[in-house]
Amino acid sequence: MTGSARLYHDVPGLRDLAHRQRGVVTRGQVGRLGMTPDNVEQQLRSLRWRALSEQVLVVHRGPLTRAASLWAAVLGAPPTSVVGAWTSLELQGLEGWHRDPVHLVVPRGARPDRHPWLVVHESRRLREEDVVDAGGLPVHSVARAAVDAAAWQRSWRTAAGLMAAVVQQRLTTTDDLFAMLDTVGKVRHRTAMRLALADIVGGADSLAEIDFARLCRRGGLPEPARQAVRTDARGRRRFLDVEWRLPGGRRFVVEIDGVGHLERERWYDDLLRDAELGADAATVRIRLPAMAARYEPERVLAVVRRHLGW
């Protein structure tokens, strides 16, 4: 019998504990199973185990897996600490937004173990109702993790895109995200997140055209016709968002897309729709994000002025 097998035989519960926590344990845990400090030091001296910190141990000498690093982060932090932000979203199924570091949310002023692969966020808003279980690990709910991750980004575009992604991948709902934004109060990119959510539920899609027309008036531009009707290559009537008739019979058409157009099915249909409508020498056609008229109005006005030759 090898040293490890003999140890598991002699310390009831150790094998199950190590398996459940992906090979990561604490001195306190193994002590409660009956191991003495001398027993632990013997495992370390014999190079069967290794220490990640003063209290956190790995019961093998191999590399630390992703799953093991999550346990090491939690076990090396205060009891109320939670796997959060991008890592929580990863564990709960978010695709296409992977971040290598493990993100851990700890109480303000806490001093958890530090590792090169760990990003620690301090928070005054650690609430039990925001925590769910993921394979035994405490993790933030999708709504809480998404709002935190978005608020901690430099770019409001990333924040808005993340709101769309978690809803479109059916990991949470717009209602839950709106409620979470109300709960957390003033956080970075809060306005961008709320606008993105409004786009997703459709409320801002309809208002986007009104906002766009209002922006044109404020910029001294002629107000476009809204929801103009065109016929595509298959003879079907199509509704465009806004359109200007220019001198010489030319047309300038702007499609206003909400965040919902980022969905794979919408993206596919929209591209085919563009192809079916086609282009001709008399028509200039562009697409703008619905949020742009509210969030970057001067940039939008510059684009429209250039195409109108105003």
Side-chain angles (χ1 to χ4, degrees), residues 201-220:
V201 298
D205 275 347
S206 58
L207 290 174
E209 297 165 31
I210 299 172
D211 289 346
F212 186 79
R214 184 182 296 120
L215 176 62
C216 290
R217 287 194 298 272
R218 180 168 68 80

Side-chain angles (χ1 to χ4, degrees), residues 168-194:
Q168 289 161 6
Q169 294 184 30
R170 295 177 171 82
L171 301 180
T172 189
T173 65
T174 53
D175 286 346
D176 284 346
L177 289 165
F178 273 127
M180 186 58 63
L181 283 170
D182 289 340
T183 298
V184 299
K186 294 182 179 180
V187 295
R188 193 179 191 188
H189 307 313
R190 186 172 186 267
T191 298
M193 285 188 263
R194 291 189 67 86

